[in-house]
Amino acid sequence: KQEVTQIPAALSVPEGENLVLNCSFTDSAIYNLQWFRQDPGKGLTSLLLIQSSQREQTSGRLNASLDKSSGRSTLYIAASQPGDSATYLCAVSPNQAGTALIFGKGTTLSVSS
Amino acid sequence: GAVVSQHPSRVICKSGTSVKIECRSLDFQATTMFWYRQFPKQSLMLMATSNEGSKATYEQGVEKDKFLINHASLTLSTLTVTSAHPEDSSFYICSARRSGGGRTDTQYFGPGTRLTVL
């Protein structure tokens, strides 16, 4: 059974710091991996999606990497800002299209000004 | 990008009543929709997979008679929480699968519905 773990559960940093969020999954046979942002009491915003054949994706100050063989992904946030404060969720899609996502518990990030 | 809406965004009800939550794909057809539940500080957990025109598939531990799912059209799925109890209070999120064939399959998430049962 696929399990997704995110470390750390919570992270507090001062504005301007670069930071890394970690995600690991137990079954390397995934279709893709996705990083989401969730603000308190709100839905999900998709940040980056990495297909199983890809190694990384970048969007602005965000960079996500994927090492499928070791079951790991990282989300790198450069020059963090208070507006980045949110919970970041990692989710994997099992090894076929159109199936539900399996989520980690998330990392709650707080960026202080 | 594709838009998925949920209604209502927030609902408070008394114990024993039933609550219906709607999930709509506004600009695409979704043969498959998923319903997730999220308890505070927990991950999103899949409750059921809803396929248009057929019965929903429920995950282990989810009571199908309590959480009624109807996917009557390609743009609408509904989740009805029957005889709600305080332990059903949670954040319910739907997603709709947009089919593009192969690797273009993408899920779009709704904004969620906060259910509070008193």
Side-chain angles (χ1 to χ4, degrees):
Chain A
K1 178 184 175 184
Q2 177 74 272
E3 293 184 1
V4 179
T5 303
Q6 292 187 246
I7 296 174
L11 181 64
S12 293
V13 299
E15 182 176 7
E17 270 204 12
N18 302 324
L19 57 100
V20 175
L21 308 182
N22 297 291
C23 173
S24 61
F25 44 96
T26 55
D27 188 344
S28 62
I30 63 170
Y31 187 71
N32 59 46
L33 182 145
Q34 203 162 352
W35 284 91
F36 293 89
R37 170 184 172 138
Q38 184 177 31
D39 292 288
K42 303 294 185 182
L44 305 180
T45 300
S46 178
L47 298 174
L48 291 164
L49 183 149
I50 310 176
Q51 301 292 352
S52 61
S53 59
Q54 297 176 323
R55 297 284 292 183
E56 66 176 348
Q57 284 286 336
T58 298
S59 176
R61 293 182 294 107
L62 305 180
N63 176 277
S65 67
L66 173 64
D67 184 343
K68 202 174 81 160
S69 61
S70 67
R72 296 177 186 274
S73 175
T74 61
L75 178 66
Y76 176 83
I77 303 177
S80 58
Q81 302 171 358
D84 295 331
S85 299
T87 296
Y88 291 82
L89 297 169
C90 169
V92 299
S93 181
N95 199 22
Q96 56 182 310
T99 53
L101 302 182
I102 300 171
F103 286 84
K105 290 186 177 181
T107 294
T108 299
L109 173 65
S110 177
V111 182
S112 57
S113 56
Chain B
V3 178
V4 175
S5 69
Q6 277 185 245
H7 178 80
S9 59
R10 184 182 299 268
V11 57
I12 301 173
C13 69
K14 293 182 179 180
S15 184
T17 61
S18 295
V19 174
K20 179 184 285 188
I21 303 170
E22 293 185 348
C23 177
R24 292 182 185 273
S25 56
L26 298 184
D27 53 357
F28 66 97
Q29 293 184 331
T31 55
T32 302
M33 291 184 175
F34 303 98
W35 287 96
Y36 297 84
R37 180 169 53 184
Q38 185 181 34
F39 291 108
K41 299 190 183 299
Q42 297 296 314
S43 178
L44 276 77
M45 297 298 293
L46 179 68
M47 297 176 65
T49 300
S50 170
N51 295 298
E52 187 267 338
S54 63
K55 291 183 178 181
T57 303
Y58 291 82
E59 294 300 297
Q60 189 174 9
V62 178
E63 300 175 55
K64 63 179 182 180
D65 294 330
K66 180 172 183 60
F67 298 98
L68 302 179
I69 292 174
N70 184 283
H71 193 159
S73 77
L74 288 172
T75 59
L76 173 64
S77 176
T78 60
L79 168 68
T80 300
V81 183
T82 62
S83 186
H85 288 95
E87 57 265 31
D88 298 324
S89 299
S90 186
F91 193 55
Y92 293 85
I93 303 179
C94 72
S95 72
R97 174 190 166 203
R98 182 174 194 171
S99 298
R103 294 187 177 278
T104 60
D105 268 350
T106 304
Q107 287 186 39
Y108 296 91
F109 283 81
T113 297
R114 171 73 60 191
L115 170 64
T116 302
V117 184
L118 303 177

